[in-house]
Amino acid sequence: MPAISAISCRWQAEAARKAKRAGFDIVYVYAGMGYLPYEFLLPEWNHRTDEYGGSVANRVRIVRELIEVTKDAVGDKCAVALRISLEELRGRASDRAASEAHEVVELLPTYPICGT
């Protein structure tokens, strides 16, 4: 059985390619408001013991992967944006940053902003 990340990334990449073919100029990765990537970020929902659970770095892994496959799927023809909800993580202490929310942001890939 394929891993959840492989299935999610395959679906995300295909959706991004379809959006690009349809003429969209921006494609979103949703990691908020109860969507699956959001549930990976929260330890209350994410009880995994593999590379997608436990530490903040592991819990953010699927969001990173979704951003990367989306960017690969659309190339430089579409912008890729992230919609993320970090409210619940703002109040959680982190050893590496001001909060777990700050740590998540630091762990996400950085791409150039269009027009700069």
Side-chain angles (χ1 to χ4, degrees), residues 102-113:
H102 290 86
E103 190 175 346
V104 165
V105 171
E106 289 173 4
L107 291 166
L108 293 172
T110 304
Y111 294 106
I113 297 173

Side-chain angles (χ1 to χ4, degrees), residues 70-82:
T70 304
K71 183 68 178 147
D72 289 345
V74 300
D76 61 355
K77 302 299 180 195
C78 274
V80 175
L82 173 65

Side-chain angles (χ1 to χ4, degrees), residues 50-99:
D50 61 6
E51 67 270 18
Y52 293 93
S55 69
V56 174
N58 284 355
R59 295 188 334 252
V60 77
R61 183 181 313 273
I62 196 159
V63 177
R64 288 178 54 91
E65 290 175 355
L66 290 169
I67 293 169
E68 290 165 2
V69 299
T70 304
K71 183 68 178 147
D72 289 345
V74 300
D76 61 355
K77 302 299 180 195
C78 274
V80 175
L82 173 65
R83 178 74 187 250
I84 191 166
S85 177
L86 297 173
E87 185 64 30
E88 290 83 358
L89 298 175
R90 283 182 46 205
R92 297 176 196 262
S94 168
D95 297 337
R96 296 181 163 86
S99 71

